[in-house]
C-alpha cells in the first residue's frame, strides 16, 4: 500500500453520501466511543516479504505501540509470519492482498497456477512491477481467483485474518477491481482498508459502499517529500492535529541492514533506511507520549470487524 | 546438493564400467591435461536462494579461488544473480535444478503452473522439504516439465548455463529421475554433476551413462561430522591427499548474518555459520597456498562442456 495513499492523504474531504448521512452514527459511535474520540490503528504493512520486515514488526508488536499488520501471502517469508500468527492468535493480522512484485533483485508470483492468472503476470512469470500496470491488464475474474487463493492459503497455514487490504493499492485502481475486492471481503465478513476520505477520488469508491460496510475515516502515511531528519516531526505533528474518528496510520517496518538494502536496492522510497526510521519512531517514547498528550486511543481491525453482521 | 554427497564422498571406488575401460582416456586427458594432473572445480551451490548467498558468492568469485556456481531458478533472489550472469557472461554458472524447499520459515515452489506439477508439491503448494519425500512421490513427467521450465526461465533471463546439477540430489534418488535428468542434459548439450565415484552406489548411475558423457572423477564436500574448529584442516587435508583427475569441491557460501540465520533457523547443518566458514576458507590465502603447494589447477564446467559433441 504505497503510492496511492499519497493521493488519499491529500484528499481529506468527506464524500457526498457521508454528508447526506451526517446524522448517522459515525464509525467511532458504532464502536461505542464518543463522537469526538480520537481512535488510531497503527498498522505495519508488508509482513512476509522479508525476514527483516517480519523481525522488526514482531519486535514492534511487543511494545504495544504498533498493534496491527497485514501479510503478503505470495512472498517467501510467509511461513515465518504464519508461525507467529498461530502462536499469537490474539494478534491483529490481516492480509495484504498482493498483485504486484515491485522490487527488481527479489521477486514473487501468484499463489494460483500461473496459467490460470496469466493476465496478472509479466513475461518472467512474476507479478508486475507497478500497481498501474497490474490494474491495466488484470482480468477481474483472474484477480478474484488469485485473491481467493491467497485467503485460502493463509487460512490453511492457520492465519485467521482480521481484515483485508491491498498491496500498493492495486485493488483500488479501477471500479472492476474494487468491486471484486468488496465482494470477496463481504463474503469473508472482513473489513477492508477503505477511508471515507478517499471517496472524493473516485465515484466507484462511494457508490460501491453500503451503509453497513465498515471503513475508517482516514488513512495517514508518510511520503517521500518528508526529509529523513523530519520523520519524527511529521508523525508528531500529524498526531497533534489528529481529527476525531478512526484513523489508520500505515507504516512500513524493517531494519536498515543487508537483506532489506538488497530487497530495496536503488529505491530509497520505502527503502531500508525509510523502514528503520518508521521502526524507530513507532517504538519510541516520543510516540508513546504523543498518544497520551493528544488523548489518542489505539484500536484494532478486530474491533472494527465485530461491527460486521 | 547436500545429504546425498555424504554417501558419495564415502564411496570412492571406481565403478565397474570404468575399470573395463581403463585404457580409455580419462576426463583429464580428454581435456588435454596429463593423466596425473590434479584438476579442481571450486563450486558454490544455492545461488538465488538468499541475498546473503548471492553477495558472498559474487565476492568469492572476485578472488578467483571460487570459480563456479549453480543457480536455483525457483528462488526469490533469482533476478539478482541473473543480473550478475548477464553482466559477467564469462562466469561459470550452471543451474541447480530444484525440486525441494528445505527450510521452514522461508519457502518456494515451482516455476511451472502448480496444477501441472502437483506430484512435486506439499499441501501448502511449496516443493517438499526433503529429497527423499520429493523423489518418492514425483511423477517423472512432471519433473521433466518443471526442470525444462527452470531451464527456459533461466535462459529467458539471460543466463547461459554451463552445466546442470541437482539441489539436494533429488534427481539422483532413483533411476527414473536420473534418466530424466540425463535426457534433459543431453538435449541441452550440458554436462551434469555426476562422479565416477558414485557409480558403486546404484547400477542406474553407471548403466545410464554413455562413454561420451562428461563427468567428474569425484565430488568432495564437507559434512556435519567435522567440528567448526576443524573446518580449514578438513579442506587442507583433502587437498593434500587429492588424487589425480577432476574433482569438484562443492561448497555453500553466505554470510553469518540475520537473513541467513533466519533462512536456516534451527538447522546448524548447512546453516549461516557453516556457510561463513566455507566463505572464510575458500577466499583465504591458506586455500590459495594449498592449491600452489599441491600443484592443483582450477578448471571449470565450461571446459568440461566443450567435450560434449
Amino acid at each position: 500500500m504505497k503510492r496511492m495513499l499519497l493521493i488519499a492523504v491529500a484528499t481529506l474531504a468527506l464524500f457526498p453520501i457521508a454528508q447526506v448521512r451526517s446524522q448517522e452514527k459515525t464509525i467511532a459511535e458504532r464502536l461505542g466511543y464518543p463522537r469526538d474520540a480520537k481512535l488510531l490503528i497503527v498498522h505495519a504493512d508488508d509482513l512476509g516479504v522479508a525476514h527483516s520486515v517480519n523481525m522488526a514488526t514482531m519486535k514492534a508488536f511487543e511494545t504495544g505501540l504498533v498493534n496491527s499488520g497485514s501479510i503478503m501471502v505470495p512472498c517467501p517469508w510467509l511461513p515465518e509470519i504464519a508461525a507467529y500468527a498461530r502462536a499469537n492468535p490474539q494478534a491483529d493480522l490481516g492480509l495484504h492482498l498482493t498483485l504486484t512484485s515491485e522490487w527488481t533483485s527479489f521477486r514473487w508470483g501468484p499463489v494460483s497456477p500461473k496459467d490460470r492468472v496469466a493476465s496478472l503476470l509479466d513475461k518472467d512469470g512474476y507479478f508486475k512491477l507497478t500497481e498501474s500496470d497490474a490494474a491495466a491488464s488484470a482480468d477481474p475474474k483472474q484477480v478474484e481467483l488469485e485473491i481467493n487463493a491467497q485467503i485460502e492459503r493463509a487460512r490453511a497455514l492457520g492465519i485467521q485474518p482480521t481484515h483485508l487490504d491491498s498491496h500498493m493499492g492495486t485493488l483500488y485502481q479501477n471500479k472492476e477491481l474494487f468491486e471484486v475486492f468488496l465482494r470477496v471481503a463481504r463474503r469473508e465478513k472482513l473489513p477492508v482498508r477503505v477511508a471515507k476520505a478517499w471517496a472524493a477520488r473516485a465515484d466507484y469508491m462511494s457508490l460501491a459502499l453500503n451503509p453497513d460496510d465498515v471503513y475508517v475515516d482516514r488513512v495517514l502515511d508518510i511520503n517521500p517529500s518528508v526529509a529523513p531528519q523530519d520523520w519524527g516531526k511529521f508523525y508528531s505533528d500529524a498526531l497533534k492535529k489528529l481529527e476525531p474518528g478512526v484513523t489508520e496510520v500505515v507504516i512500513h517496518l524493517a531494519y536498515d541492514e543487508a537483506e532489506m538494502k538488497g530487497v530495496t536496492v536503488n529505491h530509497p522510497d520505502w527503502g531500508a533506511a525509510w523502514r528503520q526510521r518508521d521502526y524507530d519512531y513507532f517504538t519510541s517514547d516520543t510516540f508513546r507520549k504523543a498518544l497520551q498528550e493528544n488523548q489518542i486511543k489505539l484500536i484494532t481491525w478486530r474491533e472494527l470487524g465485530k461491527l460486521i453482521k
Side-chain angles (χ1 to χ4, degrees), chain A:
Chain A
M1 189 65 193
K2 290 177 187 172
R3 300 177 189 83
M4 206 209 54
L5 290 177
L6 305 184
I7 307 163
V9 172
T11 58
L12 291 174
L14 294 180
F15 77 83
I17 292 179
Q19 287 170 337
V20 172
R21 297 193 203 125
S22 60
Q23 297 313 310
E24 288 179 8
K25 278 190 174 180
T26 63
I27 292 279
E29 289 171 314
R30 286 166 68 190
L31 288 168
Y33 296 99
R35 197 176 183 96
D36 64 351
K38 296 177 186 174
L39 306 172
L40 186 67
I41 303 169
V42 185
H43 190 280
D45 278 17
D46 297 358
L47 299 181
V49 165
H51 183 58
S52 182
V53 170
N54 287 351
M55 296 307 279
T57 307
M58 292 188 282
K59 190 79 182 163
F61 283 163
E62 287 177 18
T63 66
L65 294 170
V66 178
N67 68 345
S68 187
S70 58
I71 297 170
M72 294 170 67
V73 175
C75 293
W77 289 91
L78 171 67
E80 181 173 65
I81 197 71
Y84 178 87
R86 291 192 300 271
N88 297 275
Q90 81 297 346
D92 192 52
L93 293 170
L95 301 184
H96 202 47
L97 298 171
T98 301
L99 300 170
T100 46
S101 170
E102 72 271 34
W103 310 111
T104 50
S105 53
F106 167 82
R107 305 198 68 197
W108 54 80
V111 170
S112 33
K114 288 175 188 168
D115 49 0
R116 298 183 64 191
V117 291
S119 73
L120 308 183
L121 307 184
D122 69 9
K123 66 177 174 48
D124 298 321
Y126 300 118
F127 284 136
K128 303 199 176 187
L129 287 167
T130 69
E131 67 279 30
S132 53
D133 279 358
S137 60
D139 174 339
K141 287 204 181 91
Q142 295 183 5
V143 168
E144 189 154 355
L145 182 79
E146 173 61 20
I147 68 178
N148 281 335
Q150 293 182 15
I151 295 168
E152 189 182 346
R153 166 78 65 88
R155 292 197 189 279
L157 288 175
I159 299 166
Q160 302 300 337
T162 60
H163 62 289
L164 299 177
D165 48 41
S166 170
H167 183 54
M168 297 172 71
T170 307
L171 292 169
Y172 309 90
Q173 294 287 310
N174 65 46
K175 181 170 184 286
E176 291 70 27
L177 298 185
F178 189 63
E179 285 174 348
V180 167
F181 187 26
L182 284 193
R183 180 163 63 245
V184 169
R186 285 174 184 147
R187 186 200 66 213
E188 296 284 329
K189 297 194 182 301
L190 289 175
V192 300
R193 177 185 291 165
V194 178
K196 275 173 72 171
W198 295 354
R201 223 167 63 210
D203 274 350
Y204 62 81
M205 288 261 182
S206 50
L207 296 174
L209 290 170
N210 297 330
D212 286 343
D213 284 328
V214 170
Y215 34 82
V216 298
D217 291 294
R218 67 197 71 79
V219 167
L220 168 71
D221 71 348
I222 204 160
N223 66 67
S225 74
V226 179
Q229 66 274 20
D230 295 332
W231 219 252
K233 183 175 183 310
F234 172 89
Y235 285 124
S236 291
D237 285 355
L239 294 171
K240 199 176 281 183
K241 293 182 216 153
L242 197 72
E243 292 178 69
V246 178
T247 303
E248 183 181 26
V249 58
V250 170
I251 62 178
H252 299 84
L253 305 183
Y255 298 123
D256 185 16
E257 61 185 7
E259 179 198 17
M260 209 61 208
K261 286 178 183 171
V263 168
T264 62
V265 64
N266 299 328
H267 292 77
D269 296 347
W270 292 276
W274 174 302
R275 289 165 194 251
Q276 180 76 54
R277 290 195 295 275
D278 267 5
Y279 176 86
D280 290 344
Y281 183 81
F282 284 94
T283 59
S284 72
D285 280 340
T286 305
F287 176 51
R288 193 184 293 277
K289 283 180 192 154
L291 293 177
Q292 289 161 354
E293 287 168 5
N294 297 292
Q295 295 177 292
I296 296 167
K297 179 173 168 50
L298 298 188
I299 65 165
T300 64
W301 279 104
R302 191 182 297 281
E303 290 180 59
L304 285 165
K306 287 181 182 157
L307 299 179
I308 296 177
K309 288 157 196 165

